[in-house]
Amino acid sequence: MSEERGEWMMSVDQRRMQHSDAAQESHKLWIEEHLKRRKGEEKRRLEEGHQYAEQLFATQIWLPAVGHLEYLHPEYALTDFRDKQRFLDFAYIRPPYRICFEIDGYSSHAQQISRRSFADGLMRQNQLILDDWLVFRFAVDDLEQQQRRCQQMILHILGKLYGGIPKQSTPLTPREAQMYQLIVELGAPVTPGMVAERLGMEHTYVRKLLRSMFTKGYIVSASKRASNQRIRYYLPSEKKRI
């Protein structure tokens, strides 16, 4: 191998390491933000359920393909028709769609579950589809051995449903990002009071941050108003996404 080609190969490896380090850091901050907003069983589930396979999907598949983790929720809690709490490995919630991404390990699904659990898992997926969720499944083996193929699948899914990938632009502060995530999750017009109550923040502080997010274009007024009128209800902007 020539010296020039050797240096080129080293630079490629260095870039890969840098990208991997950046993905790990983004993933760490993302999990920390979700842990701050969760309590009880939902927090415990995220701490214990988000392990190797889920981390692999987030850092080696999703981040390289999409570039950020906005709209993606790890260990997302749902209540089924029998009032039983269930968790999705990942939920991508971006109107008008709700997408479930499940990670399946061969051993856990083929050898280590009972017939009853197997049937329950199928019924769980049926219920998700009836509730208008889109469900996609990935094998751990593919996450390890077919990463480019998995990344392309993510791009195809988002491209078909949304026409492209949402881009990051004017950055939000961590607090603003937390509020924006809540507004997206609620999926309905919100008031400053609702946001303040949900996040345990002072009403005046929340109103200030909402004005900042409105100026940056991340949220819009949910109703027509005169220019001098205070905004009472907010919605996520369809023109500008994180």
Side-chain angles (χ1 to χ4, degrees):
M1 180 183 295
S2 68
E3 182 178 345
E4 182 179 350
R5 179 168 176 75
E7 291 178 354
W8 179 82
M9 290 296 292
M10 287 180 63
S11 67
V12 170
D13 290 340
Q14 288 171 349
R15 287 196 296 270
R16 286 175 177 171
M17 290 180 64
Q18 290 173 351
H19 290 163
S20 179
D21 290 344
Q24 294 294 338
E25 182 63 20
S26 295
H27 174 264
K28 177 183 176 183
L29 294 174
W30 177 63
I31 291 296
E32 288 176 353
E33 283 299 317
H34 277 276
L35 285 172
K36 289 177 184 177
R37 299 201 298 268
R38 300 190 186 189
K39 298 180 180 179
E41 178 62 16
E42 293 185 19
K43 183 174 183 178
R44 185 198 68 79
R45 178 68 181 225
L46 180 55
E47 290 173 332
E48 298 180 4
H50 191 79
Q51 297 298 324
Y52 170 74
E54 292 78 18
Q55 293 172 19
L56 191 65
F57 178 83
T59 61
Q60 301 303 312
I61 306 302
W62 190 272
L63 273 170
V66 179
H68 56 86
L69 295 160
E70 198 62 44
Y71 305 106
L72 191 67
H73 307 270
E75 297 297 330
Y76 187 78
L78 289 174
T79 302
D80 66 14
F81 65 99
R82 293 180 296 184
D83 289 329
K84 180 179 179 180
Q85 191 174 48
R86 296 178 179 272
F87 290 88
L88 310 181
D89 289 341
F90 295 95
Y92 185 77
I93 302 177
R94 178 184 165 200
Y97 302 105
R98 297 182 300 171
I99 309 174
C100 165
F101 292 101
E102 290 286 285
I103 314 303
D104 297 327
Y106 174 75
S107 61
S108 64
H109 285 77
Q111 300 174 9
Q112 298 177 359
I113 63 173
S114 66
R115 289 179 178 270
R116 182 175 180 179
S117 296
F118 177 74
D120 184 66
L122 296 180
M123 192 59 67
R124 168 178 174 269
Q125 178 166 317
N126 292 341
Q127 189 62 48
L128 284 171
I129 294 171
L130 283 175
D131 290 338
D132 296 323
W133 282 83
L134 300 175
V135 180
F136 295 93
R137 312 188 79 97
F138 289 83
V140 175
D141 286 351
D142 279 347
L143 301 187
E144 295 175 330
Q145 303 165 20
Q146 302 285 340
Q147 293 187 353
R148 185 57 185 158
R149 181 183 181 187
C150 294
Q151 292 165 7
Q152 290 173 341
M153 178 60 68
I154 294 296
L155 292 175
H156 288 164
I157 293 168
L158 298 184
K160 179 177 181 179
L161 296 176
Y162 298 102
I165 305 299
K167 302 297 183 182
Q168 292 178 310
S169 50
T170 307
L172 296 175
T173 67
R175 282 295 190 188
E176 289 172 347
Q178 181 183 11
M179 291 170 56
Y180 182 83
Q181 191 73 35
L182 174 64
I183 295 171
V184 171
E185 289 179 9
L186 292 176
V190 300
T191 65
M194 293 166 61
V195 176
E197 181 179 358
R198 291 266 185 157
L199 298 180
M201 298 180 183
E202 291 292 332
H203 190 279
T204 303
Y205 179 57
V206 166
R207 189 176 292 279
K208 176 182 176 181
L209 294 184
L210 288 172
R211 284 198 298 268
S212 172
M213 294 162 63
F214 178 80
T215 301
K216 292 177 180 178
Y218 287 92
I219 55 176
V220 296
S221 173
S223 59
K224 294 182 178 180
R225 64 186 182 92
S227 59
N228 62 342
Q229 286 183 319
R230 174 179 289 182
I231 300 176
R232 297 184 180 277
Y233 293 90
Y234 291 92
L235 280 172
S237 171
E238 288 298 317
K239 297 181 180 179
K240 193 166 188 177
R241 299 183 181 278
I242 295 179

